[in-house]
Amino acid sequence: MRILVCGGAGYIGSHMVKLLARQGHEVVTFDNLSTGHSAAVKWGELVHGDLLNPSDLSSLFQGDAFDVVMHFSARSLVGESIQKPALYYQNNVVGTYNLLEAMRNHGVDKFIFSSSAAIFGNPVKERIDEDHPKAPINPYGKTKLMVEQILQDYAASYGTSSVSLRYFNAAGADAERELGEEHDPETHLIPNILKAAYGQQENTLKIFGDDYDTADGTCVRDYIHVEDLCDAHLKAVEYLLAEKRGAEAFNLGNGNGFSVKEVLLSAQEVVGKEIPYQVDDRKPGDPAVLIADSAKARRELGWTSRYTEISDIISTAWAWMNRD
Ligand code: UFG
């Protein structure tokens, strides 16, 4: 197949491009390189352009048709979305609308969307399944929910088939150490812990709040390996091809919660040394616990995660950091 990967120069998108190329698909990456890296696009063509520029999109969709579009391009930091909501509504909602319109104008009707656990807000039950109330508590989560709603209307009125994959906490790196997580600034827990493990003073680890209503007071998250997320996209392509679909959505996590302190302890074992930290204020918009119920993805997509141990996930990230 010929597959368009928007955001293929980013963390999860670049791993997806590799997997698609390995499966023999023709991959085209479209990326504005605002947070992604051209060096991460090691397979297929890279088209430099912006979803906010409709003429970039019309050139992209000229020529051979795409069988499927995968959309990873988004601003994705909860804190930044609270400070700069306009940036989030523009990039994540307007940008996606432009992409969907380009697809519609060119007869492309299969779409896989990177959604997020952030659409649920504060959980009202222990594990979050697809029926959980959707009440995002920050602009980032709202943009993802808005796109899911747009996709429902596009399915009903225009026949656009889509799968929204709601990632819980994406983590880890390519097992062959060809790709990994490289954000600037880095805000995510596992890379920040591993940076602190190098012992550089400016990278002292901060734990954002230890007074949450959890066993050890720190936030609990469901970490899911980036390769497992990419595998779910492959399964979603098969699902879209099997029969005409509407707008479907699946939650993707391991179903196990780890607190910030538990992740830190596991990382200390992986790196073989103690990692100093200090406790800082809570981060605005940070739910205490987010754990997925992914039974629907297992049942309907036939998806299972291969990395179920947090130490294995951390090990791949550490191996990537120490690749040289
Ligand atoms: N944390 C720290 N110190 C750090 C970094 C993070 O204590 O240096 C804490 C956070 O406050 C949070 C937990 O570790 O409680 C995980 O933080 P991440 O930044 O790794 O991930 P988030 O849960 O904040 O956000 C991630 C994605 C979002 C997505 C969300 C939904 O980055 O895009 O998961 O699950 F919305």
Side-chain angles (χ1 to χ4, degrees), residues 76 116 118 140 169 187-189 192 206 208 219 221 283 286:
S76 62
S116 169
Y140 168 66
N169 284 60
T187 61
H188 294 101
L189 180 63
N192 277 352
K206 291 189 175 123
F208 301 130
C219 287
R221 293 289 182 272
K283 203 171 68 165
D286 222 8

Side-chain angles (χ1 to χ4, degrees), residues 18 24 29 58 60 75 128 137 145-146 150 160-161 164 168 171 174 180-181 240 251 254 268 278 285 297:
K18 175 175 178 176
T29 291
S58 37
L60 178 69
R75 294 273 166 177
I128 300 176
I137 56 170
L145 183 56
M146 283 176 192
I150 292 171
T160 308
S161 300
S164 292
F168 280 62
D174 173 47
E181 189 166 7
L240 285 182
N251 295 356
N254 271 313
Q268 290 185 153
Q278 61 194 54

Side-chain angles (χ1 to χ4, degrees), residues 18-36:
K18 175 175 178 176
L19 181 60
L20 289 171
R22 281 276 165 91
Q23 298 280 318
H25 299 295
E26 181 187 345
V27 193
V28 176
T29 291
F30 181 76
D31 204 298
N32 67 6
L33 301 178
S34 61
T35 54

Side-chain angles (χ1 to χ4, degrees), residues 12 34-35 68 76 112 132 135 151 159-161 172 193 206 225 241 244 249 266 268 270 275 285-286 290 302 319:
I12 305 171
S34 61
T35 54
V68 178
S76 62
I112 300 180
H132 186 283
L151 289 173
T160 308
S161 300
I193 289 176
K206 291 189 175 123
H225 196 274
L241 292 172
K244 183 78 185 153
S266 178
Q268 290 185 153
V270 169
I275 302 170
D286 222 8
L290 283 174

Side-chain angles (χ1 to χ4, degrees), residues 96-204:
T96 305
Y97 161 78
N98 288 344
L99 176 60
L100 289 170
E101 283 299 275
M103 288 174 56
R104 198 156 74 87
N105 291 334
H106 293 85
V108 182
D109 64 358
K110 292 181 188 62
F111 187 66
I112 300 180
F113 175 59
S114 300
S115 189
S116 169
I119 68 163
F120 295 108
N122 284 313
V124 296
K125 50 185 175 179
E126 200 178 324
R127 284 194 168 64
I128 300 176
D129 63 12
E130 287 74 8
D131 296 329
H132 186 283
K134 288 148 198 90
I137 56 170
N138 50 63
Y140 168 66
K142 289 178 190 171
T143 66
K144 292 287 176 182
L145 183 56
M146 283 176 192
V147 171
E148 288 201 16
Q149 289 164 339
I150 292 171
L151 289 173
Q152 283 168 13
D153 292 339
Y154 270 53
S157 301
Y158 306 134
T160 308
S161 300
S162 65
V163 170
S164 292
L165 297 174
R166 299 159 178 161
Y167 313 155
F168 280 62
N169 284 60
D174 173 47
E176 292 165 350
R177 304 203 297 179
E178 289 186 289
L179 299 164
E181 189 166 7
E182 262 180 300
H183 298 112
D184 184 19
E186 188 51 76
T187 61
H188 294 101
L189 180 63
I190 292 175
N192 277 352
I193 289 176
L194 298 179
K195 281 175 146 188
Y198 281 113
Q200 293 160 358
Q201 212 181 347
E202 65 272 26
N203 288 327
T204 300

